[in-house]
């Protein structure tokens, strides 16, 4: 940028202004989306690698905007977090997920992603209690997924909120393990039931022996700490066999099923999980 003189700076400033405008437009559309019922939930199975049965289905939010089309969560979740809209959206997701799961076979749980912003909100436990009550879903069938990003702040409020949720009978999973600032201390301090190894590890399993060693180490760590270890992003039979041999308990990924509607999931579960 230095060589072109002032022109480059002006160009850059214009680009920044355009980016800011685009973001404001997205924010406005996002505000409307909740009232106009543009969100839906999809569900993706987590499978027990020993038995092949679906243990859990993860709820993944989808936004279909009439003009933008499908906007990926990686684009709108950060904006929803910055604007606080994630509180209302997260509550909607929680309620929808519980209602849907109540129609599935009773041995299948539902997992809901929680943003750190929702955790900071004091009403979270009440939202969970209300969602369970409205749907008649037993607390034991609800899992909440949090990422290491939440634990970075490492405040007592987070731990207290988790304990409160755990006391309700809800279980908590550590999502995307290995991508953030993973600390072994987190596994000791917080009451996690599951550890989900991020899909970037699964992707590099065949080509990097280091990745191999990491997945094996996390699996044995999980076993020692009495936690369920999940490998995310399993797309091939080979990856499935490998993570099973390395000691992972569950798998999630396109090999087992792509995210699908709640209705499709119900049919899938009734076909797959009988007997
Ligand atoms: P995540 O929680 O790690 O969810 C898994 C993501 O990986 C999903 O992307 C899923 O579609 C994708 N995926 C699953 N299996 C495979 C596979 O075999 N290969 C590949 N390449 N990808 C796979 P999605 O639905 O686009 O969601 C992206 C992220 O957005 C999620 O990552 C989560 O962090 C966030 N998110 C989604 N729904 C919610 C929600 O309701 N609330 C919050 N707070 N975040 C959400
Ligand atoms: Ca997740
Ligand atoms: Ca994940
Ligand atoms: Ca992820």
């Amino acid at each position: 940028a230095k060589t072109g003189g002032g022109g480059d700076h002006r160009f850059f400033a214009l680009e920044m202004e355009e980016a800011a405008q685009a973001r404001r437009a997205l924010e406005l559309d996002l505000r409307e989306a909740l009232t106009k019922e543009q969100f839906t939930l999809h569900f993706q199975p987590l499978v027990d690698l020993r038995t092949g049965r679906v243990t859990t289905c993860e709820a993944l939010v989808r936004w279909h905007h009439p003009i933008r089309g499908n906007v990926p969560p990686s684009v709108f979740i950060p904006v929803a977090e910055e604007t606080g809209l994630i509180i209302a959206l997260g509550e909607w997701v929680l309620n929808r997920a519980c209602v849907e799961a109540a129609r599935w076979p009773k041995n299948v749980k539902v997992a809901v992603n929680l943003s750190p912003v929702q955790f900071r909100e004091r009403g979270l436990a009440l939202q969970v209690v209300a969602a369970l009550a409205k749907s008649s879903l037993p607390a034991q069938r609800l899992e909440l997924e949090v990422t290491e990003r939440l634990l970075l702040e490492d405040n007592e409020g987070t731990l207290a909120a988790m304990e409160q949720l755990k006391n309700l009978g809800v279980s908590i999973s550590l999502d995307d393990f290995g991508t953030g600032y993973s600390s072994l201390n987190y596994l000791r301090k917080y009451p996690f039931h599951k550890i989900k190894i991020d899909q970037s590890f699964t992707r590099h399993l065949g080509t990097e022996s280091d990745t191999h060693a990491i997945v094996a180490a996390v699996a044995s760590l999980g076993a020692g700490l009495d936690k369920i270890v999940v490998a995310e992003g399993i797309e091939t039979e080979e990856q499935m066999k490998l993570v099973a041999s390395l000691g992972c308990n569950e798998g999630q990924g396109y090999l087992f099923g792509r995210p699908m509607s709640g209705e499709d999931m119900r049919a899938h579960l009734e076909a797959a999980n009988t007997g």
Side-chain angles (χ1 to χ4, degrees):
K2 274 183 193 144
T3 47
D8 276 0
H9 289 288
R10 276 196 296 278
F11 180 67
F12 189 58
L14 191 68
E15 277 200 326
M16 295 252 290
E17 179 51 31
E18 276 173 7
Q21 265 177 27
R23 211 187 136 302
R24 278 195 295 274
L26 187 69
E27 183 186 333
L28 283 176
D29 284 351
L30 208 47
R31 281 190 195 283
E32 275 192 358
L34 265 175
T35 53
K36 296 195 172 164
E37 298 180 46
Q38 292 168 0
F39 292 110
T40 51
L41 282 190
H42 275 187
F43 297 90
Q44 188 183 33
L46 278 71
V47 169
D48 183 318
L49 293 169
R50 254 179 343 104
T51 64
R53 294 176 69 113
V54 177
T55 66
T56 314
C57 296
E58 178 176 0
L60 295 161
V61 69
R62 296 290 176 260
W63 180 21
H64 183 84
H65 183 267
I67 294 159
R68 295 176 187 273
N70 293 321
V71 185
S74 57
V75 170
F76 70 82
I77 295 281
V79 179
E81 287 178 331
E82 284 164 36
T83 54
L85 279 169
I86 194 74
I87 303 289
L89 175 58
E91 186 173 17
W92 180 86
V93 168
L94 190 61
N95 280 302
R96 274 301 322 149
C98 290
V99 165
E100 209 57 58
R103 310 171 66 207
W104 298 340
K106 291 184 171 30
N107 56 355
V108 180
K109 304 200 221 178
V110 67
V112 173
N113 290 289
L114 286 188
S115 156
V117 179
Q118 286 173 275
F119 243 91
R120 260 178 253 131
E121 191 75 356
R122 257 190 287 279
L124 180 62
L126 284 176
Q127 279 187 11
V128 170
V129 170
L132 291 171
K134 274 186 273 184
S135 62
S136 306
L137 187 78
Q140 286 68 24
R141 289 181 60 199
L142 177 63
E143 270 177 15
L144 300 172
E145 297 194 0
V146 304
T147 63
E148 291 156 339
R149 197 156 54 102
L150 171 70
L151 312 177
L152 254 188
E153 302 167 15
D154 200 40
N155 63 46
E156 290 308 313
T158 303
L159 181 59
M162 277 196 210
E163 298 285 1
Q164 198 182 4
L165 290 166
K166 201 192 157 196
N167 290 337
L168 292 174
V170 171
S171 55
I172 304 173
S173 305
L174 182 52
D175 198 5
D176 299 350
F177 186 71
T179 54
Y181 305 82
S182 311
S183 159
L184 296 181
N185 202 37
Y186 295 158
L187 299 179
R188 191 170 62 87
K189 180 169 178 185
Y190 299 97
F192 295 115
H193 170 72
K194 269 186 190 175
I195 304 170
K196 299 184 78 177
I197 304 176
D198 188 69
Q199 53 189 40
S200 57
F201 293 93
T202 308
R203 197 168 308 133
H204 295 120
L205 265 181
T207 51
E208 289 176 11
S209 59
D210 289 357
T211 306
H212 218 96
I214 291 171
V215 172
V218 175
S220 86
L221 191 65
L225 295 172
D226 221 12
K227 302 193 188 296
I228 296 170
V229 177
V230 185
E232 299 193 270
I234 297 185
E235 296 182 354
T236 69
E237 199 90 17
E238 270 168 309
Q239 290 170 336
M240 175 184 71
K241 287 189 178 135
L242 199 48
V243 299
S245 75
L246 294 175
C248 293
N249 308 106
E250 295 185 356
Q252 179 178 6
Y254 296 163
L255 178 69
F256 305 109
R258 296 216 170 219
M260 60 186 101
S261 72
E263 199 50 43
D264 285 353
M265 183 52 86
R266 184 156 73 122
H268 178 79
L269 290 172
E270 276 164 8
N273 269 28
T274 43

